[in-house]
Amino acid sequence: MEMEYFKEVKSAIDDLEKKAKSMDFEEMYFFSEVIDKKEFKESYIYVIYFENQKNEEEMKNIKEAIECAKNKYSRESNDYIAFPKVNSPKESKVLYVGKSSKDLKTRLDEHLCKDFHKTTYGLHLSAWWKDEDFGKLKIKICNVSEITKGFKINALTLLEDAFSYEYKPLLGRRGDSPKAS
């Protein structure tokens, strides 16, 4: 029975990878353009990235800024905020890869505001990000509702994992799909 499950998972992963190659991403500036957009009530994969490639020194500065925020708003403080895991790529253009299965606008608000759902893991950019220090962020958004329909496994998590693996973002954990381990 367990072997059958893994065969089904592998087949689903292969099918998703084929479909993912033809995904269309909509690109925009993070938040300034997203806020005025329509409601996003379906399943989405999104990639938050730097407008310009970051070198090793710039990555170090960004890591220091989020680590400082993580310390300031730690579990021991009265103002705890759940920040994402900090990864260690030497250079990257991608800050974070994520998914949303219900309401993308709300999920993006969690990434922007430090006082919005503090215990939900998110970027909480208002607590530490400064455009003048680190540059502007852009976002790519892709509606994956049709691609993920009909799978018995969490196809959205598999897609998130695939993009995290490919883009190697500075922040965020890999999902809990079998391929992520």
Side-chain angles (χ1 to χ4, degrees):
M1 177 116 169
E2 191 173 298
M3 186 57 118
E4 182 128 344
Y5 171 77
F6 285 110
K7 284 181 184 176
E8 184 179 332
V9 169
K10 178 161 179 15
S11 173
I13 290 170
D14 292 343
D15 190 29
L16 277 170
E17 284 178 344
K18 286 177 198 164
K19 289 179 178 180
K21 289 181 177 152
S22 64
M23 289 170 46
D24 290 324
F25 279 88
E26 183 178 355
E27 192 172 11
M28 59 193 80
Y29 279 97
F30 194 34
F31 293 109
S32 61
E33 292 182 43
V34 174
I35 289 171
D36 296 329
K37 286 285 186 180
K38 62 180 180 177
E39 292 298 313
F40 296 99
K41 297 291 185 189
E42 298 178 89
S43 294
Y44 287 86
I45 291 292
Y46 56 92
V47 178
I48 299 171
Y49 63 99
F50 309 111
E51 188 172 34
N52 300 307
Q53 176 80 22
K54 299 297 179 196
N55 64 34
E56 194 170 350
E57 184 66 27
E58 291 168 318
M59 293 293 279
K60 182 178 162 229
N61 292 338
I62 293 168
K63 284 167 111 174
E64 285 174 4
I66 193 160
E67 289 293 354
C68 182
K70 284 176 93 166
N71 290 332
K72 179 178 179 181
Y73 299 105
S74 70
R75 288 192 188 274
E76 290 76 35
S77 77
N78 290 334
D79 204 16
Y80 172 69
I81 297 176
F83 288 103
K85 175 186 172 204
V86 178
N87 301 314
S88 52
K90 291 208 185 301
E91 295 182 353
S92 182
K93 188 161 176 149
V94 175
L95 180 65
Y96 187 84
V97 173
K99 67 182 183 303
S100 174
S101 61
K102 298 176 190 145
D103 183 356
L104 179 62
K105 265 185 140 169
T106 298
R107 184 65 183 126
L108 295 178
D109 282 341
E110 291 167 344
H111 287 306
L112 178 62
C113 304
K114 74 177 179 119
D115 294 326
F116 197 86
H117 296 153
K118 292 180 177 188
T119 57
T120 300
Y121 282 93
L123 298 175
H124 303 283
L125 292 167
S126 65
W128 64 277
W129 184 270
K130 292 182 178 75
D131 283 354
E132 62 270 15
D133 291 345
F134 307 125
K136 290 194 179 288
L137 293 173
K138 294 186 93 172
I139 185 168
K140 290 181 182 182
I141 298 170
C142 184
N143 184 330
V144 295
S145 298
E146 287 300 314
I147 293 173
T148 57
K149 246 187 223 173
F151 284 97
K152 293 179 184 174
I153 59 171
N154 189 341
L156 193 56
T157 299
L158 290 174
L159 284 172
E160 179 187 34
D161 288 348
F163 283 101
S164 290
Y165 183 79
E166 182 179 335
Y167 289 123
K168 296 173 183 40
L170 176 62
L171 303 174
R173 67 170 183 79
R174 297 275 304 279
D176 54 1
S177 72
K179 190 167 186 169
S181 359

